[in-house]
């Protein structure tokens, strides 16, 4: 970005804001004191969490035990399962969780944290589209669900604060020419694609082609539970 600004003769004053879109669910755990990650990120399609999923599905309600609140079945996809795997399998993460120095987040959280100062006051936030894919958020309230967090052993103080998709979160610090630019938007990739294609009316839909083919549909202001 700084190279592009130099080549174009632009300054921070020429840039209205920074917006971020990211691959959802991919999870990072990092140290509150040092700002360094404890482990490599676990990406959305990583299946090392299969055993964790199997154990969770044995509880009352099976794979749908959290669906009424989160809208999601228990799956290797979602961030909560990746966080639990990190806690159960990476001693440094478990120690940090116990000492309340662990910070969990998806990639937009990691980027915003670093762009706004990192260990020197960086913001620990996520947007509601990414939060909806953690399998920890009550989708009716737009808040982390205390009961689910407790059941999975994920302290709420380790989670980012949930923000809207479009607001000024903070400004860039420590990145030269980018310093002072507002970060004012964050949207998970599939949600961003739906908006980018102009599907803003109820009933409009689109397919996204990449690692797979995914259809998204705008249900308007009413949640429509999946039948599958």
């Amino acid at each position: 970005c700084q190279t592009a600004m130099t080549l174009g003769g632009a300054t921070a004053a020429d840039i209205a804001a920074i917006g971020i879109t990211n691959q959802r669910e991919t999870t990072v755990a990092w140290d509150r004191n040092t700002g360094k990650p404890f482990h490599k990120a676990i990406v959305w399609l990583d299946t090392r969490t299969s055993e964790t999923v199997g154990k969770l599905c044995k509880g009352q309600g099976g794979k749908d035990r959290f669906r009424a609140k989160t809208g999601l079945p228990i799956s290797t996809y979602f961030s909560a399962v990746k966080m639990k795997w990190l806690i159960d399998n990476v001693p440094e993460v478990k120690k940090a969780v116990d000492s309340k120095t662990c910070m969990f987040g998806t990639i937009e959280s990691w980027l915003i944290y670093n762009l706004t100062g990192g260990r020197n006051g960086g913001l620990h936030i996520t947007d509601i589209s990414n939060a909806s894919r953690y399998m920890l958020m009550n989708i009716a309230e737009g808040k982390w669900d205390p009961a689910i967090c407790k059941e999975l052993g994920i302290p709420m103080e380790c989670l980012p604060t949930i923000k809207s998709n479009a607001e000024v979160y903070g400004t860039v610090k420590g990145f030269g020419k980018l310093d002072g630019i507002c970060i004012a938007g964050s949207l998970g990739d599939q949600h961003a694609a739906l908006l980018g294609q102009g599907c803003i009316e109820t009933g409009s839909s689109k397919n996204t082609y990449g690692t797979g083919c995914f259809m998204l549909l705008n249900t308007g202001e009413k949640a429509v539970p999946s039948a599958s």
Side-chain angles (χ1 to χ4, degrees), residues 85-102:
W85 186 92
L86 285 165
I87 293 170
D88 293 342
N89 292 275
V90 182
E92 294 84 356
V93 174
K94 177 64 167 65
K95 182 179 178 180
V97 166
D98 291 341
S99 64
K100 300 182 180 180
T101 59
C102 181

Side-chain angles (χ1 to χ4, degrees), residues 179-197:
D179 282 7
I181 299 175
C182 293
I183 303 172
S186 180
L187 197 60
D189 57 358
Q190 299 278 342
H191 299 82
L194 189 70
L195 178 63
Q197 291 290 320

Side-chain angles (χ1 to χ4, degrees), residues 66-93:
F66 304 131
R67 190 192 284 260
K69 290 183 175 180
T70 68
L72 304 172
I74 298 172
S75 168
T76 56
Y77 252 123
F78 305 120
S79 301
V81 177
K82 303 178 194 302
M83 293 173 192
K84 182 168 177 56
W85 186 92
L86 285 165
I87 293 170
D88 293 342
N89 292 275
V90 182
E92 294 84 356
V93 174

Side-chain angles (χ1 to χ4, degrees), residues 44-121:
W44 67 275
L45 47 58
D46 195 308
T47 58
R48 79 185 77 181
T49 56
S50 296
E51 185 176 345
T52 301
V53 168
K55 290 177 180 178
L56 290 172
C57 287
K58 290 179 181 178
Q60 186 175 3
K63 71 174 184 178
D64 293 323
R65 62 191 293 188
F66 304 131
R67 190 192 284 260
K69 290 183 175 180
T70 68
L72 304 172
I74 298 172
S75 168
T76 56
Y77 252 123
F78 305 120
S79 301
V81 177
K82 303 178 194 302
M83 293 173 192
K84 182 168 177 56
W85 186 92
L86 285 165
I87 293 170
D88 293 342
N89 292 275
V90 182
E92 294 84 356
V93 174
K94 177 64 167 65
K95 182 179 178 180
V97 166
D98 291 341
S99 64
K100 300 182 180 180
T101 59
C102 181
M103 301 173 83
F104 284 121
T106 37
I107 296 301
E108 86 297 336
S109 292
W110 173 243
L111 289 174
I112 293 170
Y113 170 78
N114 282 285
L115 285 169
T116 56
R119 66 187 180 93
N120 297 312

Side-chain angles (χ1 to χ4, degrees), residues 63-64 67-68 70-73 133 139 219 222-228:
K63 71 174 184 178
D64 293 323
R67 190 192 284 260
T70 68
L72 304 172
R133 304 291 285 184
I139 58 174
T219 66
K222 181 181 178 181
V224 180
S226 172
S228 62

